Amino acid sequence: MNLRPIALSMSVALLAACAAPPSKAPLPPDIRIEAPNDSLAPDIKAFSGKWTGRWINSLTQLDHTLVVEKIDATKATVIYSVGEPTTSNVNITPQWRRVTATVSPGTLEFKFPNGTAVVYKLQANGTLAGTYTSNGFNTTATLTRAPA
C-alpha cells in the first residue's frame, strides 16, 4: 500500500485547517500597500501589510482586518475594518476607516475621535496582539499576516 498520497492529503488538510479564514470585514477598493523603507527598524517594518483576526470579548466576536498601507519611523497610514458581530445584541455595523497611527518599536496605536484607543503589539511568534479600549471596556484580538 502506497501511503504517500494519504500523507500528502493529510498534510494539505492540516495546512488548510491552520490557515486563517477570510475576514468578513469590508475594505475599500483603493488599498495601496507601500513597501517600507529598508532603513526602518525591523520591529517597525514588520507592521507593513494586511493582517486579519477577530476582536473577542464577553459579548461577541467581530472579524477584523488591519491594513498598514504606509509606515515610517513615527507614523503609519492604516485601514481599520470590522465585520458583523456574532451576536445580535451588539449594534456594530461592518465598516472601515483610514486613520493615522503612531508608531514606536513593536507598537502601533491610534485613537478615534470618541476617545477609543486601539493598540497593536508585535509578538515573538509573528502575530499582532490587539487591544481596543472604549469607556473602560476592553476587547482583544490576535491578528495574523494575510495575503495582500
Side-chain angles (χ1 to χ4, degrees):
M1 173 186 230
N2 185 352
L3 296 178
R4 255 186 223 180
I6 295 169
L8 178 60
S9 63
M10 288 175 62
S11 296
V12 169
L14 181 59
L15 285 173
C18 293
S23 176
K24 294 178 185 171
L27 291 170
D30 62 343
I31 295 172
R32 184 166 175 241
I33 299 171
E34 294 182 20
N37 189 307
D38 286 338
S39 66
L40 286 176
D43 55 358
I44 290 178
K45 271 197 305 193
F47 283 106
S48 182
K50 184 178 178 184
W51 300 84
T52 60
R54 291 190 123 188
W55 288 116
I56 299 172
N57 62 44
S58 61
L59 299 176
T60 193
Q61 295 183 26
L62 293 167
D63 281 345
H64 172 43
T65 299
L66 174 75
V67 180
V68 180
E69 293 184 297
K70 184 177 181 179
I71 193 164
D72 65 30
T74 60
K75 65 183 181 316
T77 301
V78 306
I79 298 168
Y80 173 90
S81 176
V82 293
E84 288 185 26
T86 57
T87 55
S88 61
N89 63 335
V90 176
N91 186 21
I92 297 174
T93 303
Q95 62 184 289
W96 63 268
R97 297 179 190 181
R98 192 171 266 124
V99 298
T100 300
T102 302
V103 179
S104 59
T107 303
L108 184 144
E109 58 190 313
F110 55 89
K111 283 190 177 180
F112 290 118
N114 68 358
T116 297
V118 184
V119 179
Y120 301 94
K121 293 194 179 279
L122 286 171
Q123 303 300 295
N125 66 0
T127 63
L128 295 182
T131 304
Y132 177 102
T133 305
S134 181
N135 296 320
F137 184 77
N138 290 334
T139 301
T140 60
T142 299
L143 286 78
T144 57
R145 190 171 293 281

